[in-house]
Amino acid sequence: MRRSSVLADFIHHKRALRCRVLPRLSRDYLTPLLLPDGSYISAESFRVGVHEDVIRLFTGKAESKAKSAIPESNRVQLGALSHVAPMGLLQIDLTWNSVYVNENFCKLAGLSADEMSGRQWVRAIHPEDAERTLTDMHEAFLSLTTFKGEFRIRTPLGESLWVFCTATPVRTQPSGVTYLLVVQDISLLHEAQQKLRSLAHFDPLTKLANRALLDERLANACARAKRGAKLAVLFVDLDGFKIVNDSYGHRVGDELLKTVAHRLQLCVREEDTIARTGGDEFIIILEDMRFPSDAMKVAEHILDSLSRPTHIDGEPQIVTASIGISLPDANNANPDEIIRQADSAMYHAKRAGKSTYRHYTEDVSKSAERHLSLVRELRAASVETDFCLYFQPQYDTAKGNLIGHEALLRWQRDNGEWVSPSEFVPILEQTHLIHDISEWVFEQAFSAHYQWLREGRIGRDVHISINLSPQLFLRSSVASQLSRYLRRYRLEPSMLVAEITESVLLDERLTNVYGDLKQLSKLGIRLSLDDFGTGFSSLHYLKRFPINQVKIDKTFVKDIFEDTNDAGIIAAILHLASALDLEVVAEGVENAETSDYLLAQGCTLQQGFFLGRPDPHPASIILPEFERKCQN
């Protein structure tokens, strides 16, 4: 064979290598091989295939049967090198047959020297890395250049380790060439690199993606969405996680977060991305959905999964989630905008009662913007100058006597808007501003009541009602807190009615609420269950907790003549309270007809606009409109 013909074949083959890109290595080559005597042979075919962990090498009949050999002096040198450097050495000829292997390589591969003979050494390369590695090696061999690369070696026991391999052409005879593979175990280095990558891209606690990896994957997802792919992003915020963290400590909180992360992973596909972006915040990327409703199904699955209690240290812990969903189209697939939309929808879900999900809409955006604005203003507000207390009287309509007044917190924004307590009080609780505000409310309410007593405007049988936020039961003893103010203003405990909502009784995370309420009752402070009938209204809780009074919510009172169900509910509450020896106060009494109806039903204690509107001026409680009518 003429050298010019071989050279032409060689050039043709190199061009073919650059042009062909196949998913699996299965190629026929016209391969010139350089023999030790300096002559070339052309193999009829050279194929490397990977199938079911078996690597098959097929080589055609060569024109020359010359065989590589390593001089004894070279073997001695390689053996000496093995003792000096702890690395594997393998020498192969240009037909891929091993002609020398040292003990270190055999140990790395978990094979004997005999098992590494011929082309069997290729079996040591991990099946998942074999195609790539052998392709790169072959290209280097064709051009007689050095190969460098990383791949895994898999032992017969199934263990894997990462190695770095350098394959260098070595002249073994005046005109012969072999390749010397130097293999070094880099498993520890690779493990360290993986840990660094993990720290850079994954949350160390939950092992979920972190914000950096989320940004990278969301940018790629948005690029695909602009080409028509369906995309959804879910913003998941846990409800009540901070309460668990504050009550049971960070260790329990961490265990709960890990459980939540695991449950989220079970709710999505393996190719979907879940990232932990904050203490109790998660963002989920759903790609290639068939229908937008698929995102809703995932959200419902998540809510159902998180509703099941998690037992940590024998204690059941329950957290729910508020989920916001953004469904961008090709025109608005912008990562920052998508997250903003999902975040806005999530806040809308929280205001809808939590443990639910909402989609992003323009209305949601406006509502979220208002919420964030209120949060900023409340954080900047001064307790002493930006809040005020209003007082609304309560009457015994059978006797026409003032029996008490309820202290109501009010807030006016800088723009003059009066914000409803139902809107700003939850924000105070979420931001934990409620603690300082409550201290101020106690101070103002007790001080006003003491002043009225000193001036003779009210008798000692008139009480002051204050509302207790569930947050107050998480920090210190509420009984000690209220006792301090009672002593400061020399008020009798019976003059105080502490109003709580049913959520305080039903919240399993408030583990000491029963003891706190018992202490309040022991002091002589009366307990009132506010908004009765709007929640669970369990008879068990009325029996277990030291409740003295229930307040019928105004939603049942206002439609008492239009809705027979409301009338029936009120009658049932009155009957129940009588059986349990509880006082009943009806809220929302706005006209004489309603007041007379309730009085006829036996509900004498009433509160509402008809009896007296909330007023910031203490003097107004002396002769409100109802009392003047009674006097006339």
Side-chain angles (χ1 to χ4, degrees), residues 334-362:
N334 176 273
D336 292 338
E337 180 63 17
I338 291 171
I339 291 180
R340 187 193 68 79
Q341 291 177 359
D343 189 21
S344 297
M346 181 274 294
Y347 276 111
H348 194 62
K350 280 193 177 294
R351 291 195 297 280
K354 303 180 180 180
S355 190
T356 187
Y357 65 88
R358 289 291 184 270
H359 300 94
Y360 173 80
T361 63
E362 289 300 324

Side-chain angles (χ1 to χ4, degrees), residues 254-265:
D254 288 349
E255 289 299 318
L256 186 57
L257 284 175
K258 288 191 283 187
T259 299
V260 168
H262 177 66
R263 292 185 181 181
L264 291 178
Q265 289 175 308

Side-chain angles (χ1 to χ4, degrees), residues 46 124 318 425 571:
F46 186 93
I318 299 177
V425 170

Side-chain angles (χ1 to χ4, degrees), residues 282-351:
F282 303 84
I283 293 179
I284 301 174
I285 303 174
L286 304 177
E287 292 192 76
D288 300 324
M289 297 180 303
R290 291 183 301 170
F291 308 103
S293 59
D294 291 343
M296 281 71 90
K297 292 178 181 178
V298 171
E300 290 170 356
H301 193 185
I302 290 172
L303 294 175
D304 179 66
S305 177
L306 295 183
S307 67
R308 300 191 299 272
T310 299
H311 289 83
I312 302 175
D313 295 341
E315 292 286 339
Q317 305 294 343
I318 299 177
V319 291
T320 57
S322 298
I323 304 174
I325 303 175
S326 174
L327 297 167
D329 55 30
N331 296 322
N332 65 351
N334 176 273
D336 292 338
E337 180 63 17
I338 291 171
I339 291 180
R340 187 193 68 79
Q341 291 177 359
D343 189 21
S344 297
M346 181 274 294
Y347 276 111
H348 194 62
K350 280 193 177 294
R351 291 195 297 280

Side-chain angles (χ1 to χ4, degrees), residues 502 529-534 537 542 550-553 556 573:
E502 293 180 35
L529 190 56
D530 199 9
D531 302 331
F532 187 74
T534 60
S537 305
L542 287 178
V550 294
K551 299 184 75 174
I552 301 176
D553 188 72
F556 301 117
I573 291 174

Side-chain angles (χ1 to χ4, degrees), residues 504-524:
V504 173
L505 307 181
L506 298 172
D507 197 333
E508 295 182 358
R509 293 166 293 191
L510 304 180
T511 55
N512 200 40
V513 66
Y514 175 76
D516 288 334
L517 295 180
K518 287 288 287 184
Q519 284 186 326
L520 291 173
S521 180
K522 189 175 181 179
L523 288 173

